[in-house]
Amino acid sequence: MSGVFPTDTVRVGDELLFYNVENSRVRRANANDFNDKNNVILIHGFTAHGEYMHSIAETLANHGFQTFIFNYHSYRGIKTAAENLQTLLGNLSDLRKDKIPEKATSLVAHSMGGLVARAMCQLTPGKRYISKIVTLGTPHSGTLYNAELLGHMIHWGESISSKMKGFTPSSQSAKELTKKDNDGNGCLIDLLHESSKNLIDIQIFSVSGGKNWLEFGNFFKSFFANRKIQGWFGDKPNDGLVLEESSDVSNAVSTSNNNLHHYNNYTEFSDINHSYMIFNQQILLKVASWLKE
């Protein structure tokens, strides 16, 4: 099965795709696609689709990384996505005579995808494969617990991706983002906060944007939505959707170590919002450079 993001994860299920730099196309990953080092898995955010990660896949592949895209049904939940990614990696590893090398893969994730990356490393055995995590505009502390804000988040997400529809505040991932998912074992955001010690041996690099304005399809819809969102955020710095204090992993993760790094001092910081972080060349080159360190 090959092409440009050909499958429907709602019907087919989550899949790990390999990005072929020679023809800019994807196919399902094979066990032998993984190298001894420089493997990178890209993880999109809520309501989005793997196709949204094409620009960063192209950049990383052109700089020598074996690049994969985790295309997942984001409505089913953060923890479910993390478990499915770990299972796919485990299955591929079992098909290799020498297994997938441990600590030879990095995760680069946008928005909610960063919580999927953390959940896989903190709550599943998949941590053994991972050496580094990059999060781009990830709400490490969750989002504001406001149903109307979540509605705007859904509309924003659907405006950037025509392939994933039907996201509602009752979806599991929406509940997890807003800490309304307590099933007796605690909320996912709280569980990640409490298990931060599991990140002690993983390098994490968070990146934020500084433009507090999002596009919602047309100017008038954008104007009124942004006015409400910024009213809820008050004067706190944000990228239009996620507070700076939540994007900054060193501020949001409750573990004391030297492996947490944050990047917001690039020259175009004030011009880049939540939507466009994964397309900005300064950010993409910095991420590539950091992954190679």
Side-chain angles (χ1 to χ4, degrees), residues 207-210 263-269 272 277 280 282-283:
V207 185
S208 59
Y263 181 57
N264 63 2
N265 61 350
Y266 52 98
T267 57
E268 292 182 308
F269 172 74
I272 302 301
M277 295 180 65
N280 178 263
Q282 288 189 31
I283 292 175

Side-chain angles (χ1 to χ4, degrees), residues 72-82 112 116 172-173 176:
Y72 68 102
H73 183 3
S74 62
Y75 311 161
R76 293 191 183 116
I78 296 167
K79 189 170 183 289
T80 296
M112 188 187 83
V116 174
Q172 181 62 22
S173 49
E176 290 169 340

Side-chain angles (χ1 to χ4, degrees), residues 119-245:
M120 195 192 82
C121 292
Q122 294 179 234
L123 305 178
T124 84
K127 173 187 175 182
R128 66 181 182 270
Y129 302 116
I130 308 305
S131 60
K132 293 183 176 183
I133 298 174
V134 175
T135 65
L136 308 170
T138 291
H140 288 286
S141 300
T143 62
L144 289 180
Y145 315 131
N146 181 305
E148 191 174 355
L149 173 63
L150 188 58
H152 287 304
M153 291 169 64
I154 293 168
H155 294 151
W156 164 81
E158 291 182 344
S159 74
I160 65 169
S161 175
S162 61
K163 295 199 172 184
M164 297 294 283
K165 301 287 186 182
F167 193 90
T168 70
S170 63
S171 302
Q172 181 62 22
S173 49
K175 293 177 181 178
E176 290 169 340
L177 282 167
T178 55
K179 300 180 72 172
K180 291 181 170 60
D181 60 315
N182 194 335
D183 58 0
N185 297 315
C187 301
L188 177 69
I189 296 292
D190 291 340
L191 290 175
L192 292 179
H193 189 70
E194 293 164 4
S195 61
S196 297
K197 62 182 182 298
N198 292 339
L199 298 173
I200 199 72
D201 57 345
I202 294 178
Q203 295 276 339
I204 305 181
F205 185 63
S206 61
V207 185
S208 59
K211 184 174 183 178
N212 56 0
W213 174 275
L214 293 177
E215 296 80 6
F216 287 85
N218 64 64
F219 175 79
F220 291 104
K221 184 183 290 186
S222 298
F223 176 81
F224 289 107
N226 280 287
R227 187 168 68 173
K228 281 198 170 184
I229 292 171
Q230 294 309 312
W232 291 318
F233 284 159
D235 295 327
K236 292 184 176 181
N238 64 87
D239 65 4
L241 195 60
V242 177
L243 291 170
E244 171 70 18
E245 63 191 42

Side-chain angles (χ1 to χ4, degrees), residues 16 30-36 39 68 89 92 96 100 105:
L16 189 60
N30 295 323
N32 291 328
D33 289 329
F34 285 84
N35 284 337
D36 291 336
N39 306 300
F68 303 82
L89 285 171
L92 287 169
R96 285 172 59 110
I100 290 178
T105 299

